[in-house]
Amino acid sequence: MAYTVRKLLESEQFPKMKLFCGKKGLDREVKGIRIIEIKDMEQYLTGGEMLITSFQVYLSCSDREVEQHFEDLVKSDISGFIVKKREEDDPTGK
């Protein structure tokens, strides 16, 4: 039985975790976890990974570069993103 994005959300291991978009992807299998530490992470993915990021790696990128990386990550067949909200990056909490 596969471990899915839905099971991760329902596990309540991370009670503050919220789904922002992609309800169609809830049944995607999570085959592994990767922490994004480099801008071109997509070249190291094999598919099915859940990516964890605070987006720090993308702060020096232009909006278009970030958009291109996201497009490439989606093409890599990832399971999803877990984004760590950092108050110091956005004191308004948005």
Side-chain angles (χ1 to χ4, degrees), residues 28 34-55 57-58 61 64-83:
R28 286 179 166 266
R34 298 277 183 146
I35 298 171
I36 297 179
E37 296 180 3
I38 56 173
K39 293 178 195 172
D40 56 351
M41 186 65 175
E42 56 272 10
Q43 70 179 334
Y44 300 103
L45 302 175
T46 59
E49 291 95 344
M50 179 66 70
L51 304 178
I52 301 173
T53 186
S54 64
F55 290 121
V57 70
Y58 298 114
C61 294
R64 179 61 196 128
E65 288 173 316
V66 172
E67 186 177 305
Q68 184 61 57
H69 283 296
F70 285 175
E71 288 172 7
D72 293 342
L73 288 167
V74 170
K75 288 177 189 172
S76 299
D77 196 31
I78 60 171
S79 294
F81 279 101
I82 296 175
V83 179

